[in-house]
Amino acid sequence: MLFPARPPLLSNDYKPQLALALTGVVIVSAIIILRSMGRVWWCSLGDFSPITLDAWGPHNSQHFADPYVFSHLLHGVILFFVFNFAVLRRKPLWGLFFTTLLEVAWEIFENTPFTINHYRAATAAVGYTGDSVINSFGDILACVGGWFLARKVGIWWSIAVFFVAEIGCLIWIKDNLTLNVIMILHPIQAIKTWQSGM
């Protein structure tokens, strides 16, 4: 068996309440930091609907959820196995804390001028101006949800979720977590052209 039976989330031998409290502090800190960076609270175009389905339009990254919510869910799935495979397996909520900490660090880095300009230059997201605070909050919650999903369903169903999400997003929006990583680290003009529909 690849993973033995899951230990309980709440066990007094590893201070789970502290892990939960610190996870909450990290999320609140992310909101404060992103707002201090000049991120708008909600859609910069004044549309306060919670969801947008247009991955390439001006509303992307401006609402609570957009098509990239699936990539952030997969962040949580992947990081669950990174942090809960060995040392933190017996301290699962500390794995959740470190997962959330990494996701928050990414959200902050993603909204720096450096990353925004890199996205605009290297990918088909030429109109990208960064995330709203509510969008980053939704992304963080999606990552947390992915962590809990992976814990619930185990490795084989998590692998299935990964492939379904990646293939589904590839068909739907011509983008997914895998392509996103490729285009950030080593942009490929053929992918950018295909995504742009040229």
Side-chain angles (χ1 to χ4, degrees):
M1 182 168 21
L2 187 56
F3 289 96
R6 295 187 302 268
L9 278 178
L10 298 175
S11 173
N12 290 329
D13 61 347
Y14 75 94
K15 296 184 172 58
Q17 292 82 3
L18 179 60
L20 278 177
L22 289 176
T23 299
V25 167
V26 166
I27 294 173
V28 172
S29 298
I31 293 169
I32 294 169
I33 292 168
L34 288 164
R35 183 60 183 151
S36 72
M37 291 169 64
R39 299 289 90 208
V40 297
W41 283 111
W42 209 300
C43 180
S44 57
L45 300 177
D47 180 351
F48 296 103
S49 57
I51 298 172
T52 180
L53 300 178
D54 184 3
W56 301 104
H59 289 280
N60 189 59
S61 298
Q62 298 297 300
H63 299 261
F64 179 74
D66 58 36
Y68 288 95
V69 72
F70 295 103
S71 290
H72 293 277
L73 181 129
L74 293 181
H75 290 174
V77 170
I78 293 167
L79 290 173
F80 171 82
F81 292 105
V82 169
F83 288 120
N84 291 80
F85 183 80
V87 177
L88 293 177
R89 196 187 154 276
R90 294 288 176 190
K91 303 176 180 182
L93 288 179
W94 285 105
L96 176 63
F97 165 73
F98 286 111
T99 294
T100 307
L101 188 65
L102 268 187
E103 182 69 6
V104 162
W106 167 248
E107 285 297 322
I108 292 169
F109 179 69
E110 184 183 31
N111 285 285
T112 60
F114 170 82
T115 310
I116 291 170
N117 291 332
H118 183 70
Y119 266 124
R120 292 168 65 94
T123 75
V126 293
Y128 180 65
T129 58
D131 300 351
S132 68
V133 174
I134 194 68
N135 180 259
S136 289
F137 179 62
D139 291 345
I140 294 165
L141 291 187
C143 178
V144 169
W147 186 93
F148 278 101
L149 176 66
R151 176 177 166 80
K152 177 71 175 175
V153 303
I155 188 166
W156 300 117
W157 279 110
S158 293
I159 291 171
V161 166
F162 181 89
F163 281 105
V164 167
E166 287 290 85
I167 293 169
C169 286
L170 189 66
I171 294 169
W172 177 25
I173 62 171
K174 295 184 176 181
D175 204 3
N176 57 25
L177 178 59
T178 304
L179 284 184
N180 208 265
V181 171
I182 290 170
M183 295 301 284
I184 289 172
L185 297 179
H186 184 72
I188 298 173
Q189 183 60 42
I191 294 176
K192 182 177 180 179
T193 301
W194 173 68
Q195 290 177 328
S196 302
M198 298 180 196

